Amino acid sequence: MNKTFLAAAYLTLAAMFGNSYVKAADTVTDAAQVKLQAASMAQIKTLLQAAGAYNPNDIELSSAAHQMTITIIDSGLNNRGSAEREAEATKMVSGVAIVIADKPEFSKLPVIHVDYVKRQGSKLTAVQRIDFFQSPAGVFVLHKT
């Protein structure tokens, strides 16, 4: 009976703590991947500015291991239709996809998120949020809900 109890206790502890080691390993891997991605961010931001004729302060760019977020502040398209913002975002994301296509640090990036926002004092208010998901063919496709 003692052996059965010890075996059950061991299996329970292994199940409880075994997953945390795997999660910690993923976190370290993700952090390293984001650090590698940082080397390409200036090039990507320059491309985004050119694609939409924006100033450097009009675009914020951030990435995580599995998502890149492009924030466009006070766009001239904020007061226009959503189709125009989606067309511009598609053009921008297509350019980003070309830049990151052969870079292994972006190999686990399945989502590019584009936020059009309006600055009101120190607060940013969302105008439109647009998601692009990577297809099995490796192309980022506009997600419609």
Side-chain angles (χ1 to χ4, degrees):
M1 186 136 156
N2 272 344
K3 289 182 184 179
T4 304
F5 175 76
L6 287 174
Y10 176 76
L11 289 174
T12 301
L13 289 173
M16 286 174 31
F17 295 109
N19 287 339
S20 65
Y21 292 121
V22 171
K23 288 178 186 172
D26 285 346
T27 302
V28 171
T29 302
D30 289 353
Q33 193 166 353
V34 170
K35 190 173 182 179
L36 290 171
Q37 290 172 353
S40 298
M41 289 303 173
Q43 178 188 8
I44 293 170
K45 188 170 181 177
T46 300
L47 171 116
L48 294 169
Q49 291 166 359
Y54 290 106
N55 294 318
N57 293 335
D58 296 338
I59 294 182
E60 293 178 1
L61 181 63
S62 64
S63 76
H66 307 287
Q67 176 177 316
M68 180 181 294
T69 302
I70 301 164
T71 304
I72 304 167
I73 303 166
D74 292 332
S75 169
L77 298 177
N78 281 2
N79 297 322
R80 313 277 300 262
S82 63
E84 291 181 68
R85 287 186 294 274
E86 289 172 358
E88 180 182 75
T90 299
K91 179 180 171 185
M92 291 176 157
V93 169
S94 294
V96 170
I98 291 168
V99 170
I100 68 173
D102 296 330
K103 297 185 179 191
E105 60 269 27
F106 292 101
S107 65
K108 295 180 182 177
L109 184 85
V111 179
I112 298 178
H113 186 74
V114 181
D115 286 335
Y116 283 86
V117 299
K118 184 184 338 181
R119 186 181 306 276
Q120 297 173 321
S122 61
K123 185 175 149 184
L124 296 176
T125 304
V127 173
Q128 184 176 3
R129 294 187 163 135
I130 306 167
D131 290 317
F132 293 83
F133 294 108
Q134 191 173 41
S135 72
V139 177
F140 285 91
V141 179
L142 175 66
H143 175 70
K144 291 279 198 174
T145 55

